[in-house]
Amino acid sequence: MRRFHRISFPLLALLLTLTGCSVNPVTGQSEFSLVSPEQEVAIGANNYAPSQQSQGGRYYLDPDLQVYVSSVGRKLAAVSDRPNLPYEFVVLNNSVPNAWALPGGKIAVNRGLLTYLEDESQLAAVLAHEIVHAAARHGASQMTRGTLLNIGAAAVGIAGANYGLGQAGAQVAQLGAAAWMARYGREDELESDRYGMDYMVKAGYDPYGAVKLQETFVKLSEGRQQDFISGLFASHPPSQERVNANQAKAATLPKGVTNRDIYQRKISRLKRDEPAYKAQDEAIKALNNKDAKGALAALDKAIAIQPGDGYFWELRGHAWEMLDNAANAEKAFTAAIGKNPDYFSHYLARGMLRYEEANKTGARSDLEKSYNILPTPYASYYLGEIALDSGDQQNAIRYFQTAASGSGEIAKKSQERLAVLELETAPHKYIPSKLVLGDDGYLIIVIKNNSPVTVTNVELQLTKMLNSFIADSTSSINGPSKLAPGQQVSLQTRIGPFKESAEASAYRIKVSRVQIAAQ
């Protein structure tokens, strides 16, 4: 059973006075929301570009397809319950069959989904569904629920997890914000299906496109095709319930156009390039199995069909890296940048290679370009190393802090770097200490090493306070000679004896100096 944390009445009252209830523009129902419409639009706008980058970037090989999908989306948005939202529609260069909407009408559909659709009415069903998510403020509802849960979690001291992008060289990473926004609840999904069909009819489309779309997805889920299960089904799970609801709804609506011939013409390049993307999948599998030559053979097939996709060339670079051929790897990464100069991953790959090849100037240029497009933990870490090499400790700390907030090996390395840099100036940040009153009335110092490195020769500063703001006296105390990561020690002092804890509360303790043990 799901457990909800109780929110204190004063805090809840404050939240209600700040925002209160709002009306769902689609259903007309009153809903509690902590996010204003203006905030909603700003959140979507700020996250749209990074969400695209983290999921493959824009599909740039066929600009006419972008125009076409956007035209269908705008036709539907114009008849929505919030036609004045700053809607945008984009096709992403991503094989995973998925579509998503950020707050404020920022919508994306992957090329991988377009190849499974049969006509324009089915595309309209996808886009109308996402438009309802935006128009009905489902994202704001998600954020409100998340905020309330976070408030409850904070009240009981539950720490949240930090998220970052995955390892460089992976095909696409789902950005936390976009993936989270896509996980709408069952009622939101049914609501988007239902009202999306209304939008379809108003725009002149056949509502049975929504029925056929869900029927196709149910069949594919029963076939357990992993690309669907891990992609679209993770965020918009299909079900016979949704098929039945769409059928019942469609039976009450007038028929419209399907525009099958137009749609098939518009996706003809995608269909023609399908074998290239299947070869790309083979190459990725080969790279994961450390089969660089097999990856190169698969990529030769992909490039022969579609030489313009920069990611094929980036993968070639990773294969050449695996074969310890840095010269060929750099040529491949450079070719990738030439094909698509707007994608963060190509610059990141070449920048990391150049760093390892001791070309710090070239590495810095590439990594800064990558970071400016999408600030990933890998770009942050290597830029931190370069800043450290040049003596720029302030920027090094800033970059390492960004990288340390991620997860995995790169976050661990960044945390170690930060500890080494900051232990010199602020050891108490990593090695907290406190005073407790022993049973005999004397103070005990408790010290714990929360840093990822071993420290030695710990020194502490003991201060007796005259009052809450003025120190009466300060003295130094020798702490443990060695303290390993995670280790906690207690030191008995001869300060006391105190009859009451109030007397002991006049003392303050802080780690003032440490040395980092030789690694």
Side-chain angles (χ1 to χ4, degrees):
M1 186 176 74
R2 183 180 296 177
R3 179 177 294 174
F4 294 94
H5 300 294
R6 205 178 286 268
I7 302 174
S8 67
F9 284 110
L11 179 57
L12 183 57
L14 174 61
L15 291 174
L16 288 169
T17 58
L18 288 174
T19 52
C21 289
S22 63
V23 175
N24 184 314
V26 176
T27 66
Q29 296 176 348
S30 294
E31 297 176 349
F32 175 66
S33 179
L34 293 174
V35 182
S36 72
E38 293 77 17
Q39 290 172 321
E40 198 179 9
V41 169
I43 289 167
N46 290 336
N47 285 282
Y48 198 38
S51 294
Q52 293 176 47
Q53 283 289 322
S54 70
Q55 297 177 63
R58 293 193 174 214
Y59 176 69
Y60 60 93
L61 294 174
D62 188 356
D64 184 56
L65 182 62
Q66 295 280 1
V67 173
Y68 170 66
V69 170
S70 183
S71 70
V72 174
R74 291 186 182 282
K75 188 187 303 183
L76 292 159
V79 299
S80 73
D81 292 284
R82 295 177 77 187
N84 295 323
L85 281 177
Y87 289 98
E88 290 185 62
F89 302 88
V90 66
V91 179
L92 299 182
N93 190 20
N94 190 322
S95 295
V96 176
N98 201 3
W100 47 262
L102 292 180
K106 305 304 184 187
I107 292 167
V109 56
N110 292 352
R111 60 166 170 75
L113 177 56
L114 295 179
T115 59
Y116 283 93
L117 307 182
E118 297 176 356
D119 57 43
E120 193 173 300
S121 72
Q122 293 182 26
L123 171 62
V126 171
L127 297 178
H129 180 98
E130 301 303 334
I131 288 169
V132 175
H133 279 316
R137 307 196 67 210
H138 289 162
S141 298
Q142 285 289 86
M143 285 184 283
T144 296
R145 287 192 287 269
T147 301
L148 291 175
L149 289 175
N150 286 339
I151 290 170
V156 295
I158 298 175
N162 293 316
Y163 294 92
L165 295 177
Q167 184 172 341
Q171 180 184 6
V172 285
Q174 297 290 334
L175 186 67
W180 174 73
M181 288 304 307
R183 292 190 178 95
Y184 298 110
R186 172 179 171 274
E187 290 305 316
D188 287 346
E189 289 297 302
L190 292 173
E191 188 172 285
S192 290
D193 285 348
R194 183 166 63 254
Y195 289 100
M197 293 173 74
D198 288 335
Y199 293 174
M200 290 174 66
V201 170
K202 289 179 182 179
Y205 290 108
D206 186 350
Y208 279 91
V211 177
K212 293 175 182 176
L213 183 69
Q214 288 300 322
E215 286 178 337
T216 299
F217 290 165
V218 168
K219 289 179 182 177
L220 289 166
S221 68
E222 290 171 352
R224 309 189 71 82
Q225 293 194 15
Q226 292 301 313
D227 58 345
F228 266 82
I229 291 171
S230 63
L232 182 68
F233 291 170
S235 56
H236 303 292
S239 65
Q240 190 59 43
E241 177 191 19
R242 291 178 68 177
V243 173
N244 295 341
N246 284 4
Q247 285 176 330
K249 175 79 173 179
T252 68
L253 299 172
K255 295 271 186 86
V257 300
T258 61
N259 291 342
R260 178 184 175 86
D261 290 343
I262 294 174
Y263 183 80
Q264 290 298 324
R265 285 201 306 272
K266 295 297 184 181
I267 67 164
S268 59
R269 181 185 290 271
L270 290 182
K271 287 290 190 178
R272 188 169 63 247
D273 289 346
E274 273 191 293
Y277 292 109
K278 288 181 180 179
Q280 173 188 273
D281 294 341
E282 293 174 12
I284 292 171
K285 183 177 180 179
L287 286 173
N288 288 335
N289 291 331
K290 308 299 183 185
D291 179 11
K293 291 183 178 179
L296 288 172
L299 291 165
D300 284 342
K301 297 177 186 177
I303 290 170
I305 298 167
Q306 176 50 267
D309 194 310
Y311 197 68
F312 297 164
W313 294 92
E314 182 185 324
L315 289 174
R316 284 184 70 85
H318 291 304
W320 284 118
E321 273 188 304
M322 198 174 287
L323 293 171
D324 295 323
N325 191 327
N328 278 358
E330 175 150 351
K331 289 177 183 177
F333 293 144
T334 301
I337 292 170
K339 304 292 182 183
N340 186 8
D342 299 322
Y343 188 41
F344 85 98
S345 185
H346 304 334
Y347 293 105
L348 178 60
R350 191 173 71 175
M352 291 169 60
L353 174 69
R354 286 178 166 179
Y355 181 87
E356 298 299 334
E357 293 298 308
N359 178 2
K360 301 295 177 65
T361 301
R364 179 175 180 174
S365 175
D366 281 343
L367 292 167
E368 285 179 343
K369 287 179 182 176
S370 178
Y371 184 90
N372 289 335
I373 298 171
L374 185 69
T376 59
Y378 273 83
S380 302
Y381 173 78
Y382 282 95
L383 283 169
E385 291 285 8
I386 291 170
L388 197 59
D389 288 343
S390 63
D392 187 355
Q393 185 166 316
Q394 184 175 356
N395 269 327
I397 289 174
R398 178 172 65 87
Y399 282 125
F400 287 137
Q401 284 174 336
T402 301
S405 66
S407 59
E409 188 61 30
I410 204 70
K412 181 181 178 182
K413 291 171 69 173
S414 299
Q415 290 159 7
E416 291 175 354
R417 284 297 198 192
L418 272 176
V420 170
L421 290 171
E422 294 186 316
L423 278 171
E424 298 177 2
T425 57
H428 60 281
K429 181 177 178 180
Y430 293 88
I431 307 176
S433 56
K434 63 180 180 179
L435 293 167
V436 297
L437 193 61
D439 294 338
D440 59 358
Y442 288 90
L443 288 177
I444 299 171
I445 302 172
V446 180
I447 312 166
K448 184 176 181 181
N449 183 4
N450 287 334
S451 82
V453 297
T454 298
V455 296
T456 60
N457 302 322
V458 178
E459 292 184 15
L460 300 108
Q461 179 180 289
L462 179 71
T463 302
K464 183 180 180 183
M465 305 299 293
L466 193 61
N467 55 45
S468 299
F469 306 101
I470 301 175
D472 181 24
S473 61
T474 301
S475 58
S476 294
I477 298 177
N478 290 328
S481 59
K482 187 175 183 180
L483 203 58
Q487 184 180 1
Q488 177 175 300
V489 298
S490 298
L491 302 176
Q492 182 70 53
T493 74
R494 299 313 303 164
I495 302 172
F498 299 106
K499 294 181 179 179
E500 297 181 3
S501 59
E503 297 179 75
S505 66
Y507 289 87
R508 305 284 187 273
I509 194 73
K510 183 175 77 172
V511 173
S512 58
R513 183 181 301 173
V514 299
Q515 292 180 348
I516 298 171
Q519 300 296 311

